[in-house]
Amino acid sequence: MLALALLGGCDSSGGDPGAGNPESQATDYEKALAGAPAPLAKLYANGDEIIEGGADELHSQLEKLRGYPVVVNAWASWCGPCRLEFPDFQAVAAERGDEVAFIGADIDDSTDAANEFLSELPLPYPSVSDPDSEVKDELGLRGLPGTAFYDANGELVYLKQGPYTSEADLNADIDKYAS
C-alpha cells in the first residue's frame, strides 16, 4: 500500500489521491515575504501563476535570479506524492523566500489542471509550464516530484529524486545546497 501511495495510485485512507492535501498551509505569504530583495519580490509577485515556455522559460527565470540560490520543484496535478509534499514547500518558501528563490515546474500537465491544483494548494511562487516534459528530461528526473538546487551562479548543484516528507528535510537540503 505504501508503494502505491508513493506512486500516487492510492492513499492510506482509500480516498481520492487527486484530492487536495488537508495539510495545506494557510500562510500569509505577503507578510512572510515582505522583506524579500527586489528580484525575489518580483518573482513572488507572480505567486500561483503558470508561466508558459517550458525549459526555455525556466532558463530565463534562472538568469533573472542570478546572485540568489534557487530551488526548482518539479510537480504535476496528477502526482499524488507532489500533493503530499506541497505543504512543506508552502511553509519553507514562506519562511525562507527572502533568501532563496523558489520556482515550480509543472510537468506534463494542462494549464487548467495546474490552475485547479494551485487553487487547492497555493504557492507563493510561480511555476513554469512544461507540457512536453523538457525540464524533466533535461534534469534527468526519473519521475515526479523532483527538486533541483541551483547555486547563486545558476549552476545545478543537486537533484533530489522523489518527494520531501518533512519541512526539516527540505530545510536541510536548502542549507546544504542552496546557501
Side-chain angles (χ1 to χ4, degrees), residues 15-155:
D16 176 6
N21 186 333
E23 300 296 317
S24 181
Q25 301 290 316
T27 304
D28 182 352
Y29 294 125
E30 287 183 27
K31 181 179 175 187
L33 300 172
L40 299 181
K42 186 174 180 179
L43 174 73
Y44 299 133
N46 297 316
D48 279 337
E49 184 177 318
I50 299 294
I51 304 169
E52 302 294 326
D56 289 342
E57 181 58 30
L58 179 60
H59 294 295
S60 174
Q61 292 294 321
L62 291 170
E63 187 60 37
K64 292 175 190 174
L65 294 165
R66 284 280 167 117
Y68 298 94
V70 181
V71 176
V72 177
N73 178 246
W75 60 273
S77 65
W78 45 262
C79 168
C82 298
R83 289 181 181 276
L84 295 175
E85 76 173 359
F86 254 51
D88 297 328
F89 277 90
Q90 290 170 317
V92 173
E95 284 172 24
R96 302 191 68 176
D98 60 343
E99 62 184 277
V100 177
F102 289 83
I103 302 174
D106 177 33
I107 310 294
D108 191 27
D109 223 348
S110 73
T111 301
D112 288 343
N115 284 325
E116 184 176 331
F117 178 86
L118 290 172
S119 73
E120 297 170 25
L121 296 161
L123 293 171
Y125 52 87
S127 294
V128 172
S129 176
D130 185 31
D132 299 323
S133 299
E134 296 170 336
V135 172
K136 180 179 174 244
D137 294 343
E138 186 177 294
L139 291 173
L141 286 169
R142 294 185 299 264
L144 294 176
T147 305
F149 293 80
Y150 293 84
D151 66 15
N153 295 317
E155 297 297 320

